[in-house]
Amino acid sequence: MHVRHLSIGDFRSYPSAELALEPGVSTLVGLNGQGKTNLVEAIGYVASLSSHRVATDQPLVRFGADRAIVRCAVVRDGRESLVELEITPGKANRAKLNRSPLPRTRDVLGTLRTVLFAPEDLALVKGDPGERRRFLDDLLVQRQPRWAGVRSDYDKILKQRGALLKSAASLLGGRPGRGRRSASVPEGVDPREAAEEAVRTLDIWDDHLATVGSQLLYARLRLLRDLVPHLQEAYREVSANQSEATAVYRSSLHDAAAEAIAGGAVPEPDELRTMLLETLAERRSQEIERGVNLVGPHRDDLVLGLGEMPAKGYASHGESWSFALGLRLAAYHLLRHDLGDDPVLVLDDVFAELDSGRRERLAAMIADCEQVLITAAVPEDVPEGLAGRTYAVSLGEVSAP
């Protein structure tokens, strides 16, 4: 798989740009702030419908423009597909595949698969659990695009259930003797009765959360089981066998279930659904008191370790870089194994952060990839073993070789 051509309009700093690419290594060279990362960000957006730099679409649209356009020609097994995306903040984005409109934007997922490593990936090791959950879920979608729908359904359930919990907390807080009255309770309605009705409704949302959450949790656990061997191998190669990388899933389920999962167990979805319902029942009073969802895949974490020590807080800067890089390379090799072809590997401003040994080892590891896209401030940052086409990027203009 490789990108043959990228065309963008009003995306980030670019009024327009065209980039013709070939298999092999292509390097975008330019000083910081010239727009080279914007180009690989556009390619990543086609693959994932999200940015590795920002959480919303608004910053992707050039200042003063109403929308951004991204077109990407993707070649796989000798056949070319054209993906067209229209990004309109505040409205529904639109997508076309081979010039035919799609009913849902996410229907383009799977046409292009990329694995991107960038400085922001240090957050996988040093950041909050949400960074690691996103890594797992994004990889799930790359592996099987249908998980985008499951993630969307789960987020909707969390939103509805969270609103109900917040309402129940407010109603109970407003009952006689608590010193305040909830503004959401009409005059003449007993807050206690209204709260009890809200709590009864929770049973329905518990069932929804357990049903969809068990599917997502099962998929994550299977993914991690398949990913860890690739992670251990990639980390050994990047770090020159300095230590062994580990990754353990920490679940928000009750103690017995969480302990089994941490030990590597992958219960079936029906078992996980039962465990979720049991844990929700155990923690209902806490959830109502706090007015938030405390149980489910959205509260889980991926605990990364080096040998016997947790990576977060103990790994050096170099070890953290190696671990983050190991995670991305593991994702690459897993997708390569699953799909039978190579995803596009994107290395955004990576080599400047690596010492010479890690640079050379990384270069050797990716030499056989079908397509590698690199951004760098100066050509000297890129190892000689990754010689290929070089593009100059300056003030939002791209000069082909």
Side-chain angles (χ1 to χ4, degrees):
M1 176 182 293
H2 67 273
V3 174
R4 185 189 63 78
H5 194 90
L6 173 70
S7 174
I8 56 176
D10 291 324
F11 185 89
R12 287 286 194 178
S13 59
Y14 288 90
S16 65
E18 305 286 334
L19 181 61
L21 295 166
E22 296 178 353
V25 179
S26 297
T27 303
L28 306 174
V29 178
L31 299 178
N32 293 336
Q34 301 302 299
K36 58 187 186 295
T37 293
N38 297 346
L39 295 170
V40 295
E41 182 182 25
I43 291 173
Y45 193 92
V46 172
S48 65
L49 300 180
S50 64
S51 164
H52 70 287
R53 303 160 75 191
V54 293
T56 65
D57 287 346
Q58 181 66 59
L60 304 181
V61 179
R62 190 171 65 91
F63 183 76
D66 295 328
R67 61 179 185 169
I69 301 294
V70 179
R71 296 184 180 90
C72 193
V74 181
V75 178
R76 181 180 183 185
D77 296 331
R79 295 188 297 272
E80 182 168 303
S81 300
L82 178 65
V83 178
E84 299 176 85
L85 296 174
E86 180 181 299
I87 305 169
T88 310
K91 298 181 180 179
N93 294 339
R94 294 192 288 184
K96 293 181 181 179
L97 182 60
N98 296 325
R99 305 200 182 279
S100 297
L102 297 174
R104 300 172 303 183
T105 307
R106 69 171 184 252
D107 290 340
V108 303
L109 292 172
T111 307
L112 172 65
R113 289 180 169 91
T114 65
V115 173
L116 184 147
F117 181 56
E120 290 85 354
D121 282 335
L122 272 183
L124 292 175
V125 181
K126 297 185 175 184
D128 294 332
E131 300 288 345
R132 293 177 285 279
R133 290 194 296 266
R134 179 182 176 184
F135 167 77
L136 289 175
D137 291 345
D138 286 350
L139 183 53
L140 272 179
V141 174
Q142 290 265 51
R143 206 179 187 192
Q144 293 180 297
R146 72 180 185 86
W147 289 107
V150 177
R151 287 175 67 183
S152 177
D153 291 345
Y154 186 72
D155 289 341
K156 291 174 184 176
I157 291 168
L158 285 181
K159 184 176 180 180
Q160 293 290 335
R161 189 174 182 275
L164 187 60
L165 285 168
K166 186 176 180 180
S167 175
S170 175
L171 289 166
L172 288 172
R175 68 178 184 264
R178 294 291 292 271
R180 59 185 174 87
R181 181 179 183 84
S182 171
S184 63
V185 181
E187 196 68 34
V189 175
D190 185 346
R192 178 81 180 179
E193 292 180 1
E196 290 174 351
E197 177 60 28
V199 169
R200 283 193 292 271
T201 307
L202 270 176
D203 289 338
I204 298 172
W205 289 104
D206 284 0
D207 186 74
H208 291 328
L209 187 149
T211 298
V212 179
S214 61
Q215 297 174 31
L216 181 57
L217 179 53
Y218 177 69
R220 283 184 186 175
L221 295 176
R222 289 194 60 183
L223 171 66
L224 186 61
R225 181 185 63 190
D226 296 342
L227 183 69
V228 165
H230 293 290
L231 168 62
Q232 292 173 337
E233 181 178 354
Y235 185 81
R236 281 195 297 268
E237 292 191 40
V238 172
S239 67
N241 294 303
Q242 289 183 1
S243 186
E244 182 176 7
T246 62
V248 175
Y249 196 90
R250 179 180 291 166
S251 170
S252 58
L253 293 172
H254 57 69
D255 290 346
E259 184 177 349
I261 288 171
V266 182
E268 292 297 316
D270 286 347
E271 296 177 81
L272 291 170
R273 183 179 180 277
T274 299
M275 294 172 183
L276 277 165
L277 287 171
E278 291 170 351
T279 310
L280 286 166
E282 288 178 8
R283 304 198 65 182
R284 173 168 288 190
S285 61
Q286 293 175 278
E287 288 191 310
I288 292 173
E289 182 179 355
R290 296 175 57 178
V292 294
N293 296 294
L294 297 177
V295 178
H298 65 288
R299 302 288 295 194
D300 297 348
D301 194 5
L302 182 62
V303 181
L304 306 176
L306 288 174
E308 299 298 322
M309 304 297 292
K312 186 176 181 179
Y314 288 90
S316 68
H317 187 69
E319 288 172 332
S320 297
W321 266 103
S322 293
F323 209 126
L325 182 53
L327 283 168
R328 291 302 185 188
L329 291 173
Y332 182 90
H333 287 291
L334 180 63
L335 291 174
R336 170 189 268 184
H337 177 269
D338 283 356
L339 306 174
D341 64 2
D342 289 2
V344 176
L345 180 62
V346 182
L347 302 175
D348 181 23
D349 248 348
V350 168
F351 287 104
E353 299 289 344
L354 301 177
D355 59 43
S356 59
R358 287 184 172 88
R359 287 187 190 184
E360 296 302 327
R361 288 192 291 273
L362 174 58
M365 293 172 68
I366 64 176
D368 66 338
C369 297
E370 181 174 347
Q371 186 174 51
V372 181
L373 306 180
I374 299 171
T375 70
V378 293
E380 292 74 21
D381 284 344
V382 183
E384 293 182 2
L386 293 178
R389 304 185 80 193
T390 300
Y391 301 79
V393 182
S394 178
L395 296 176
E397 294 187 358
V398 185
S399 301

